[in-house]
Amino acid sequence: MTQVTATGAMSPAAIAEVEREAQRKIRQRYWLVISLRLIILVVVLGGWELAATLQWIDPFFFSQPSLIVIQIYDWIMEGTSQGPLWAQVLVTLEETVLGFLIGSIAGVIAGILLGRNKLMSDVFSLYIQIANSIPRVVLGSIFVIAFGLGMASKVALAVVMVFFVVFGNAFQGVREADRYMIANAQILGASRRQVTMAVVIPSALSWILASLHVSFGFALVGAVVGEFLGSKQGIGLLISTAQGAFNASGVFAAMIVLAVVALGADYLLTSLEKRLLKWRPAAF
């Protein structure tokens, strides 16, 4: 039973008891989520393996988990037809990171500039809408023709994939900045640059960081699609080669490798977001 002091406040012992109970419930929910995730994974993979073993689905077209594991093991131990697996992962990761960094920086700068300048926003908005409406696969083909089969064409496609996502969030974040804080800063004598650096950008930071989680996935997609269209190395080439050989296990194995890379990157971005947004209240 909760202990209350004569003034009506909870005693330190009662507060400690409430905190312990809250921590216990948090731990229970954490392990519940982990357990449910594992159960879903086991059911899906087990059902897939069983359906393929009993010939309910054709393993030639849909493969099965055991064959995918064998394929990944062979790639790790013996390498792929293009070379060691780690080399293919590094090539794709390098293209992805370069495209992500260039596209993110360009998107943030453009979003802030157009968000703070109404005239520039009105002038360039039409061109941005036109560029954003062009299918990315078409651009990928153009980049392969223009830059060849090397890394440049994949990085260019990744940049285009990332830019519009980050730009949209940065632009909206700047537009959603607190007008009262901006007005107060101007009253105190802050210049336009000082207002942008001290008020607008911190206000838009949560919007920008939220877009980075999505945009890294888009950068990875851009790099893989570029490799699929034409390349000498990379995971996209593995997928293209497996597809050409009707190797469903190879396609699924490459998808799993991509998923591991994407999850690792998302973990790093989440850690960065927590460090930069320590002031934000924790979500429950």
Side-chain angles (χ1 to χ4, degrees):
M1 186 174 178
T2 305
Q3 299 176 357
V4 181
T5 63
T7 60
M10 295 178 63
S11 66
I15 294 175
E17 181 182 350
V18 171
E19 290 179 349
R20 285 194 299 270
E21 181 65 18
Q23 291 294 328
R24 186 183 64 82
K25 290 182 178 179
I26 291 174
R27 287 193 298 269
Q28 285 181 343
R29 188 181 185 282
Y30 172 79
W31 287 111
L32 175 62
V33 171
I34 296 297
S35 302
L36 291 175
R37 287 177 177 176
L38 291 175
I39 291 172
I40 292 173
L41 181 65
V42 170
V43 169
V44 171
L45 294 181
W48 185 2
E49 183 74 25
L50 180 63
T53 302
L54 298 177
Q55 296 297 313
W56 294 346
I57 60 175
D58 192 342
F60 179 80
F61 295 108
F62 300 100
S63 187
Q64 58 191 101
S66 58
L67 295 178
I68 296 172
V69 171
I70 292 172
Q71 180 69 80
I72 295 175
Y73 179 81
D74 288 342
W75 281 350
I76 293 174
M77 300 305 295
E78 301 177 9
T80 68
S81 57
Q82 286 79 42
L85 177 62
W86 62 267
Q88 313 308 312
V89 173
L90 285 179
V91 168
T92 300
L93 192 58
E94 184 177 3
E95 296 164 351
T96 301
V97 171
L98 284 174
F100 172 74
L101 291 177
I102 296 172
S104 298
I105 294 172
V108 169
I109 293 175
I112 293 174
L113 287 177
L114 269 65
R116 293 286 290 156
N117 192 310
K118 187 68 166 60
L119 177 61
M120 289 181 62
S121 174
D122 293 339
V123 171
F124 287 100
S125 60
L126 176 63
Y127 299 108
I128 291 174
Q129 290 176 3
I130 294 173
N132 192 32
S133 65
I134 299 175
R136 304 298 186 266
V137 176
V138 175
L139 292 176
S141 301
I142 293 174
F143 291 148
V144 169
I145 295 172
F147 301 119
L149 300 179
M151 183 178 295
S153 59
K154 287 72 180 173
V155 173
L157 183 56
V159 168
V160 172
M161 297 286 288
V162 170
F163 173 81
F164 292 102
V165 177
V166 178
F167 166 79
N169 275 42
F171 180 83
Q172 190 63 31
V174 170
R175 287 297 179 91
E176 294 292 333
D178 192 329
R179 300 302 172 188
Y180 293 105
M181 292 184 63
I182 294 176
N184 289 336
Q186 291 172 338
I187 291 173
L188 292 174
S191 65
R192 186 175 180 84
R193 178 180 176 277
Q194 290 174 327
V195 170
T196 300
M197 298 299 296
V199 179
V200 175
I201 292 180
S203 176
L205 191 59
S206 59
W207 287 77
I208 295 170
L209 291 177
S211 70
L212 297 183
H213 291 278
V214 180
S215 60
F216 187 89
F218 277 102
L220 186 60
V221 169
V224 172
V225 169
E227 292 170 350
F228 194 86
L229 293 173
S231 64
K232 301 175 183 178
Q233 281 183 307
I235 300 177
L237 182 59
L238 285 182
I239 296 175
S240 179
T241 303
Q243 176 189 347
F246 292 94
N247 179 11
S249 300
V251 174
F252 282 110
M255 290 170 59
I256 291 174
V257 173
L258 286 175
V260 171
V261 172
L263 289 174
D266 186 73
Y267 174 80
L268 293 177
L269 289 173
T270 301
S271 301
L272 174 63
E273 182 178 6
K274 289 179 178 179
R275 290 180 64 87
L276 294 178
L277 297 178
K278 289 182 179 180
W279 51 268
R280 189 172 61 182
F284 293 99

